[in-house]
């Protein structure tokens, strides 16, 4: 496993960049088959180095956004990690969501 503790993959991705390390080929003879992947976005990754731009989760990075949703009994979700200041509140039931503010009437 080229992402195990102490490996170059683990050090580069997890320790230094705070990203995920993925070993794409687990055959024993395969080497240099790992990549770093953004924790919030499986499409953004880079072979043998840290991924360039992982974006920001606006609910985590800006706690006041999460508070706005939580105060309404809803969850803050960022589906647009590469687009700044786009986040939404979601009903606990999962029935509805509203960008940038709480849902007015959850089922």
């Amino acid at each position: 496993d080229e992402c195990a503790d102490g490996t170059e993959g683990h050090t580069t991705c997890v320790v230094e960049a705070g990203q995920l390390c993925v070993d794409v080929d687990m055959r024993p003879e395969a080497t240099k088959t790992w990549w770093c992947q953004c924790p919030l976005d499986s499409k953004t990754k880079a072979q043998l180095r840290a991924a360039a731009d992982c974006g920001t989760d606006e609910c985590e990075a800006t706690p006041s956004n999460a508070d706005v949703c939580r105060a309404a009994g809803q969850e803050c979700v960022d589906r647009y990690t590469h687009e700044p200041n786009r986040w939404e509140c979601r009903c606990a039931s999962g029935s509805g969501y509203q960008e940038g503010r709480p849902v007015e009437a959850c089922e």
Side-chain angles (χ1 to χ4, degrees), residues 41-100:
D41 175 11
S42 61
K43 292 188 287 295
T44 303
K45 50 196 168 201
Q47 190 105 25
L48 305 184
R49 58 190 169 80
D53 176 26
C54 283
T56 303
D57 184 323
E58 303 288 341
C59 296
E60 287 180 12
T62 312
S64 58
N65 292 348
D67 291 342
V68 164
C69 299
R70 213 176 290 122
Q74 297 165 23
E75 182 189 7
C76 185
V77 178
D78 186 350
R79 291 187 299 148
Y80 320 94
T81 52
H82 292 280
E83 298 174 43
N85 302 319
R86 286 192 69 185
W87 50 278
E88 57 196 34
C89 294
R90 278 199 194 164
C91 295
S93 62
S95 61
Y97 55 88
Q98 179 68 50
E99 191 170 324

